[in-house]
Amino acid sequence: MSIRDRLDRVFKGRDEFDLTSGDIARPLFYLSLPIVVTNLLQTAYNLADTYWIGRFSTDALAAISFAFPMVFLLISFGMGLSVAGSVLVAQHTGAGEEDKAEYAASQTVTFSLVGSLFLGVLGYVAVGPFLGILGASPDVLPLARDYMQIISLGLPFMFGFFVFVALMRGYGDTITPMLVMFGSVVLNIALDPILIFGFEANPLFTMLGLGNLQSQLFAMTGYTGSGIAGAAIATVFSRSLALIVGLYIMFDGSRGVQIHLWQMSPNFDFLERLLSIGIPASIEGTGRALSVNLLLIVVGMFPTTVVAAYGIGVRVFSVIFLPAIAVARGVETMTGQNIGAGKPARAERAANIAAMAMFGILTLAGVIAFVAAEPIIAVFTTDPDVIRVGVDFLYWVAPTFGFIGIMRSYTGSFRGAGETLTAAAIAVLMLGFIRLPFAYFASQSFDHGSTGIWMAFTVSNVAGAVIAYAWYRRSTWRDKSLARTVPADD
């Protein structure tokens, strides 16, 4: 059996399963699996930066700990439009309204690119004061500023690719974005060590036993690397190529949703519709990002070793719950298409199946992370103090990974139904009113030190799952079709 045949058996295209009839678990699996891989590849960007920058210097590692939340914040401001576009494409596709799905996708691309240009300029101008507010030290601040200014200039390319992924997912095609992401990540990982270290004392050449080649390249170029700025350049360049490929695929229309140039002229009446769905989604993403940034202020009250450990811990944390995010996106698409088709009971069954599966899978992942905490953290740094604090982070957070799966599954269903405000309320409540205050008071007023911050993750993860489940049981989302004016029989 060829590799292509093996891949075809694992990854099923949209034409091989129906999201609105028949089995639920199987199409949810086939829809979500490529999203898991795509998100793993997405995180590989951050892990590659963390791995190589950790070998560049501890200050640089702390710098991306400050820079990453700002990247998250800028993207979160604009992510509402991509969520809105995905939901509209999903519901119109479920209702059999292909032309309306294409128009929604075309308008989403237009307004998303325009919005990301504005956010990129804003990020470039505000990066210095913003990092100062977060409490970056004089040694760390210029490094974080260099990284963020480059990322800000490349934000339209980065965000444009996220929109491509969201629109294809709303249509039900999650394989194509996965393949494009794979190529982009391979390119980024190849460029990272070259642009960070150049051709002098580059650990990549040492690891591969290519010292002579490194010497020859240095003699030819004299390039000593761009440090942390090189990591940012690698990311922006890779994402730019990915966006170009994504736009080509959508204009071609042979895979997934199609966009048309003649439908991309800004329609401000349609923008109102996008914003009515997207603003709450942006509030959710921005609330998450702000909580991360505000939490970083609390973390910044501690030594650089704690900041660096927090940066590593959050990245490990983000890798572990990627399946929850992926399944939530799958549930979002299944809910959207089934709501569009007038089948809310089927959407509810999908959310319940996802919640139970993710609780079991992520609880197991948490056990593994707990047992292997020290070697996991040691992958990213050799500093014993950073390793010690990072291990403490995982000891507190890992046992609650399963609860993240529950919360993400139900909030994904809320978004698919168009109830983006409900998903936002749950996120803000969990992060802004539970995690952040608990972290501050536990670490500052009750003398738990940095452990108090990690305790806040534990408490908020459990609380978020309970709140999401209780809210979902109210069933207020069932009649929120954005595509149909008359509900179909379920």
Side-chain angles (χ1 to χ4, degrees):
M1 183 181 293
S2 67
I3 295 177
R4 177 61 183 270
D5 290 336
R6 293 179 185 275
L7 289 174
D8 287 342
R9 290 185 64 181
V10 175
F11 299 106
K12 302 293 185 181
R14 182 179 181 272
D15 56 336
E16 298 177 81
F17 57 81
D18 187 354
L19 299 182
T20 59
S21 64
D23 186 35
I24 293 178
R26 190 181 299 273
L28 179 60
F29 170 78
Y30 286 129
L31 185 67
S32 301
L33 181 59
I35 303 177
V36 173
V37 178
T38 300
N39 288 343
L40 283 170
L41 293 170
Q42 158 67 28
T43 304
Y45 273 105
N46 299 326
L47 293 180
D49 288 350
T50 303
Y51 178 85
W52 292 114
I53 290 173
R55 277 147 181 75
F56 185 73
S57 75
T58 298
D59 282 343
L61 187 61
I64 62 169
S65 296
F66 278 101
F68 181 73
M70 187 174 181
V71 176
F72 187 23
L73 179 61
L74 288 173
I75 291 176
S76 296
F77 276 131
M79 74 172 289
L81 289 179
S82 68
V83 171
S86 178
V87 170
L88 287 171
V89 167
Q91 293 205 11
H92 284 304
T93 299
E97 300 170 341
E98 201 94 0
D99 54 337
K100 292 184 179 180
E102 293 177 355
Y103 186 77
S106 300
Q107 289 292 305
T108 301
V109 170
T110 295
F111 288 113
S112 296
L113 290 177
V114 172
S116 62
L117 280 170
F118 171 77
L119 290 173
V121 172
L122 177 64
Y124 186 90
V125 173
V127 59
F130 184 86
L131 293 171
I133 292 173
L134 291 181
S137 69
D139 293 332
V140 171
L141 193 147
L143 297 173
R145 183 180 60 241
D146 291 345
Y147 183 87
M148 272 309 306
Q149 285 182 334
I150 295 171
I151 292 294
S152 295
L153 292 177
L155 193 65
F157 303 105
M158 297 174 65
F159 187 68
F161 179 69
F162 294 148
V163 170
F164 161 69
V165 172
L167 294 176
M168 297 291 282
R169 182 180 66 243
Y171 183 76
D173 181 359
T174 54
I175 296 177
T176 303
M178 177 189 72
L179 297 175
V180 177
M181 176 67 85
F182 176 77
S184 180
V185 167
V186 170
L187 177 60
N188 181 80
I189 292 175
L191 291 175
D192 247 348
I194 302 299
L195 295 178
I196 293 172
F197 296 96
F199 303 117
E200 186 178 42
N202 190 321
L204 175 63
F205 288 90
T206 302
M207 291 165 57
L208 299 177
L210 299 175
N212 290 334
L213 176 61
Q214 179 181 205
S215 299
Q216 293 173 7
L217 291 171
F218 180 73
M220 293 171 57
T221 65
Y223 183 54
T224 58
S226 302
I228 192 172
I233 294 170
T235 297
V236 170
F237 180 75
S238 302
R239 286 296 171 81
S240 300
L241 291 183
L243 174 60
I244 292 171
V245 173
L247 288 174
Y248 172 81
I249 290 171
M250 288 194 292
F251 275 117
D252 179 64
S254 58
R255 297 182 66 90
V257 68
Q258 186 171 18
I259 60 175
H260 304 279
L261 192 61
W262 59 272
Q263 291 182 330
M264 294 179 69
S265 177
N267 180 343
F268 290 99
D269 290 333
F270 193 85
L271 176 61
E272 291 183 14
R273 192 179 187 196
L274 284 174
L275 292 177
S276 67
I277 308 167
I279 288 178
S282 287
I283 291 173
E284 178 186 357
T286 304
R288 291 183 184 278
L290 282 175
S291 72
V292 172
N293 285 300
L294 293 173
L295 189 61
L296 193 55
I297 295 177
V298 180
V299 175
M301 297 176 181
F302 293 89
T304 300
T305 53
V306 174
V307 178
Y310 172 76
I312 294 174
V314 167
R315 280 162 179 76
V316 172
F317 182 56
S318 67
V319 172
I320 293 295
F321 72 78
L322 281 179
I325 297 177
V327 171
R329 296 302 186 191
V331 171
E332 180 182 309
T333 300
M334 284 201 74
T335 299
Q337 292 204 12
N338 281 286
I339 289 290
K343 299 180 178 181
R346 180 177 170 83
E348 183 173 2
R349 290 196 297 271
N352 290 333
I353 290 171
M356 290 186 289
M358 283 300 97
F359 180 77
I361 292 171
L362 292 186
T363 296
L364 177 60
V367 171
I368 295 172
F370 185 92
V371 173
E374 185 169 341
I376 289 173
I377 300 298
V379 169
F380 302 99
T381 181
T382 56
D383 188 322
D385 291 330
V386 176
I387 292 174
R388 176 181 53 81
V389 178
V391 167
D392 189 42
F393 176 97
L394 287 182
Y395 280 170
W396 277 97
V397 178
T400 64
F401 284 168
F403 293 94
I404 297 171
I406 294 174
M407 185 199 69
R408 289 283 188 170
S409 296
Y410 289 121
T411 55
S413 190
F414 281 128
R415 283 191 298 271
E419 286 280 275
T420 49
L421 183 59
T422 300
I426 293 171
V428 171
L429 182 61
M430 169 195 170
L431 299 172
F433 291 89
I434 298 176
R435 180 177 297 177
L436 185 60
F438 192 103
Y440 177 79
F441 288 109
S443 64
Q444 300 298 318
S445 301
F446 295 98
D447 296 327
H448 288 297
S450 60
T451 299
I453 302 173
W454 320 148
M455 292 167 62
F457 279 83
T458 300
V459 172
S460 60
N461 287 344
V462 176
V466 172
I467 294 168
Y469 174 73
W471 209 323
Y472 195 79
R473 293 286 294 172
R474 298 175 64 230
S475 298
T476 55
W477 54 271
R478 293 174 67 94
D479 300 316
K480 298 296 183 180
S481 175
L482 304 170
R484 302 178 66 95
T485 55
V486 179
D489 293 335
D490 196 334

